[in-house]
Amino acid sequence: MDGNFSAEHMKLKNDDDFDLTGRSSYFTALSCYRAHLQIADDKQPKSTCHEHKAVNQVHATQKHLAATGIGAITCARHGYFVPDTVVDFQKGEWQVNMDYVLFQALSKLEGMPRATVIYDIACQFSVHFGAWVLKSNYLKFSNSIQIIWGIGLFHIHGHQDVCLFRYSPDLIPGISKVDGKVLETLWSQLNEISLSRKYIQAIQALEIAEEGYRNLTENADQSLITQWIAQAEEAQTQRFADVTAMDIFDVQLQHAPTRVEMQLQLAEDPAQPSLARGVASWLSLGLKIEELQLRISGLVKQGGANPTVTERLDIDRQKTRLDNMIDDFSRKANQYLAEDILVGQGHADSDWHDVELGDEEILPLPSNIGANQCRDHGVGHLVDDELCLQQGQANDALHNIRIDLGHWSFLYHTTVRQAKHSQQKKLRAWDAVHQVNTALNVHTVIYHQCRKVMITLSGTPVLLQ
C-alpha cells in the first residue's frame, strides 16, 4: 500500500468531469469514496515515530490541483493492482484516504483468515485504524480477517529501532522477504539495463551478507543459538496476540567506555598503588599530546604549500598549546618515573608523526619506554594503565569515525546533490566534504595507532578481538 505524488490531476475550468471506470476497473467509485470523506474525521493523528515522507506530505495542498496524487494497494509478492482500490488524494496521503484503500482490498478477501498489510508507516497507521473503521459506515469488511501489520524492508530502517522487531517482514511468520517497494516499480517503468545492474549488485551483496552470518553462527556458542531460536519462535507465536512480544529482538548493546571513563575508573580504583595517585591524569595528558600532534599534522596537510594567514595562525596557536602541554607532561613525569629510564623511539616510524613539529623530545609513555623496562623499574602498573586508556582512546576514535561517515553521507545527500546547478553552492558543498574527510582521516590514523600500541603493550592481538 503506497501513494504516488507524481500522478497529479489539474482542476478543470468547467467542473463537468465524470467517472469513466468507477468500480469497473482499478479506480474506486467516486460516489462512495466522496461520501466516506465527508463523514470521516480529517484530523491527522500526531506521529510518534520518525518523520517520514508520507507523514510530511499530509498537508501538501496545491490550489491548482484537483488531486495531489493517488493511492493504491497491490499484491506485495506478485505486484498486481487490486481492482477498485485506486483513490485520489485531496491534500496529501491522509489516513482517511488510505483507510478506504485498505477497506476496498479487505472486502475482497472474504473467507481469508489473515492478511498482511505492508505500509511505509504501518506503525502509525495501525494505531487508529480500528477506531476509524468503527466510526465509518463505508469501512466494513469481514470480522474474521486478522490484519498483520508490516513495514517493507526498504523503509523500516528509517523508523525507530523498536519498529524493526515489531513490523519487519523478516520476523513475520509465513511471508517472504518483502522490500515494500513493488508499487514503485509499477509507478514508473525502469529500463532493463538498470534493473539488471541493480539485480546483480543485490545478489552480490546478499552473498557477502550470508557469508558474514555463517561466520557468526559458526563462532557463536551453540547452546546460546539453541536458546535464541527457542526465544524467537516463542516471540513469533505471541506476536499475533501482542506485537510487543517482538521487542525481544531489540538487543541493547553497551557502549564501549571512552578514554575519560577509563581515566575515572583508574583514578577511583582502590587497587592502585598509593604512589600512583594522579597517574591516570598524567597518562591521559600524554595521549592527548600525541593526538594533538596528529591534528596539527592534519592542519599542515590541509593548508598545503601555500596556507592562508588564518591557517598559519591556527597552526601556530595549536603548536603553542602543544608546547605547554609537553612541558606540563615532562614536569609531572619526574613523579612517576626513575631518572635512569631510557625512552626509545616508540612508534615514531609509523604514520603518527608524519609531519615535523619541532625538536620536542619523545614522550616518556610506557609504550615508548617498553613494557619490560617499566616492570624492571617497578612501574609495571603504568603499562596496564596506559593500555586501558589506549582502549578508551580507540573507542573514541571509532565513535568519531562513525559520526564522520554519517556526516559525510548527510552532506552528499543534502548539499552536494542539491548544488548541481550552482557553481558557488557546489564549491561550498565540496569544501564541507573535504573538511569532514580531513577529520575522518585523522580519526582513522588515531585508531590505527591505538591499535598498534595496544598490541605492543599487551603482547597479543587477542585484546582486539
Side-chain angles (χ1 to χ4, degrees):
M1 188 165 65
D2 199 7
N4 178 14
F5 288 91
S6 297
E8 301 173 342
H9 181 59
M10 301 284 291
K11 287 184 178 179
L12 300 178
K13 293 183 178 180
N14 299 320
D15 191 14
D16 55 356
D17 196 13
F18 59 95
D19 191 5
L20 291 175
T21 60
R23 220 166 203 173
S24 63
S25 185
Y26 293 105
F27 274 88
T28 190
L30 285 179
S31 57
C32 295
Y33 179 52
R34 288 173 177 172
H36 159 71
L37 294 178
Q38 289 178 356
I39 66 172
D41 185 3
D42 60 355
K43 183 179 180 181
Q44 189 69 13
K46 185 177 180 180
S47 175
T48 59
C49 192
H50 293 163
E51 294 293 330
H52 302 289
K53 186 176 181 180
V55 177
N56 294 335
Q57 291 179 327
V58 161
H59 301 291
T61 178
Q62 301 290 338
K63 294 182 178 180
H64 66 287
L65 296 178
T68 59
I70 61 174
I73 192 167
T74 64
C75 174
R77 180 172 297 182
H78 302 96
Y80 63 82
F81 283 98
V82 179
D84 196 22
T85 61
V86 181
V87 300
D88 290 332
F89 293 154
Q90 290 68 44
K91 291 185 177 180
E93 196 170 337
W94 285 54
Q95 179 151 356
V96 293
N97 304 118
M98 303 310 292
D99 279 344
Y100 195 84
V101 171
L102 182 55
F103 151 73
Q104 290 293 95
L106 294 176
S107 63
K108 296 173 174 55
L109 301 179
E110 188 69 26
M112 297 288 290
R114 185 178 299 162
T116 302
V117 179
I118 307 295
Y119 189 31
D120 300 346
I121 53 172
C123 58
Q124 305 300 307
F125 185 87
S126 61
V127 174
H128 303 283
F129 178 74
W132 287 36
V133 168
L134 295 176
K135 293 180 181 179
S136 176
N137 295 326
Y138 296 92
L139 302 178
K140 302 301 180 184
F141 54 90
S142 175
N143 294 331
S144 62
I145 298 179
Q146 182 184 18
I147 300 177
I148 308 300
W149 299 100
I151 301 174
L153 298 179
F154 187 88
H155 286 282
I156 196 167
H157 296 287
H159 287 248
Q160 295 179 355
D161 292 342
V162 69
C163 293
L164 176 65
F165 313 106
R166 295 182 178 183
Y167 302 103
S168 173
D170 286 343
L171 302 176
I172 300 177
I175 73 170
S176 302
K177 290 185 178 296
V178 180
D179 63 359
K181 302 306 291 180
V182 65
L183 262 172
E184 296 293 339
T185 64
L186 300 176
W187 294 140
S188 60
Q189 296 294 327
L190 301 178
N191 59 66
E192 294 182 1
I193 296 177
S194 177
L195 284 175
S196 300
R197 178 173 55 83
K198 291 183 178 180
Y199 177 76
I200 294 173
Q201 292 175 345
I203 292 297
Q204 292 174 345
L206 178 61
E207 292 175 352
I208 296 174
E210 288 178 344
E211 179 65 24
Y213 278 110
R214 280 195 295 268
N215 292 335
L216 287 174
T217 303
E218 292 173 357
N219 293 300
D221 189 341
Q222 293 301 315
S223 61
L224 287 177
I225 294 177
T226 303
Q227 179 182 352
W228 293 336
I229 292 175
Q231 292 175 345
E233 292 176 348
E234 182 181 0
Q236 290 176 345
T237 302
Q238 298 294 329
R239 80 176 313 278
F240 299 116
D242 182 10
V243 72
T244 60
M246 302 301 291
D247 293 354
I248 192 175
F249 291 95
D250 186 10
V251 180
Q252 299 295 328
L253 298 178
Q254 294 182 351
H255 294 287
T258 64
R259 183 181 61 192
V260 175
E261 292 173 344
M262 284 291 195
Q263 179 181 341
L264 180 61
Q265 179 180 343
L266 291 174
E268 296 178 346
D269 187 3
Q272 287 283 346
S274 58
L275 297 177
R277 181 176 298 275
V279 69
S281 177
W282 173 68
L283 291 173
S284 181
L285 177 60
L287 269 59
K288 291 179 182 178
I289 291 173
E290 292 190 329
E291 185 172 324
L292 180 58
Q293 288 177 324
L294 181 59
R295 294 187 183 279
I296 295 176
S297 169
L299 292 175
V300 173
K301 287 184 177 180
Q302 186 176 0
N306 299 306
T308 64
V309 175
T310 303
E311 290 173 338
R312 291 169 62 184
L313 287 174
D314 189 19
I315 293 173
D316 184 70
R317 184 165 51 251
Q318 295 295 338
K319 285 189 175 183
T320 301
R321 179 188 171 204
L322 178 65
D323 291 338
N324 295 332
M325 293 173 66
I326 290 177
D327 291 341
D328 187 24
F329 181 85
S330 300
R331 185 169 55 254
K332 293 180 179 179
N334 298 327
Q335 303 176 23
Y336 310 109
L337 299 176
E339 294 182 358
D340 58 341
I341 287 183
L342 300 178
V343 179
Q345 293 300 312
H347 37 262
D349 57 339
S350 68
D351 51 5
W352 186 262
H353 303 290
D354 53 350
V355 172
E356 184 65 31
L357 299 175
D359 298 326
E360 297 91 352
E361 58 182 337
I362 299 175
L363 298 180
L365 287 168
S367 54
N368 292 330
I369 297 172
N372 293 332
Q373 188 178 183
C374 287
R375 293 188 175 92
D376 292 341
H377 286 77
V379 288
H381 61 278
L382 296 180
V383 177
D384 299 330
D385 291 350
E386 185 186 355
L387 182 59
C388 291
L389 293 173
Q390 290 284 359
Q391 292 180 45
Q393 190 176 37
N395 293 334
D396 290 341
L398 286 175
H399 175 72
N400 289 328
I401 288 173
R402 288 191 289 267
I403 297 297
D404 292 337
L405 291 175
H407 192 191
W408 203 17
S409 176
F410 174 78
L411 288 175
Y412 269 99
H413 180 69
T414 59
T415 59
V416 175
R417 293 180 181 177
Q418 306 299 328
K420 295 180 179 179
H421 306 294
S422 173
Q423 185 66 23
Q424 183 180 12
K425 291 182 178 179
K426 188 181 298 184
L427 291 174
R428 291 180 178 178
W430 281 109
D431 284 343
V433 171
H434 291 325
Q435 290 179 4
V436 174
N437 192 46
T438 300
L440 176 61
N441 291 335
V442 170
H443 295 141
T444 301
V445 176
I446 290 175
Y447 172 74
H448 284 309
Q449 186 55 43
C450 289
R451 190 177 188 277
K452 293 177 184 178
V453 173
M454 285 190 289
I455 293 177
T456 301
L457 293 176
S458 63
T460 174
V462 175
L463 177 67
L464 306 177
Q465 296 180 354

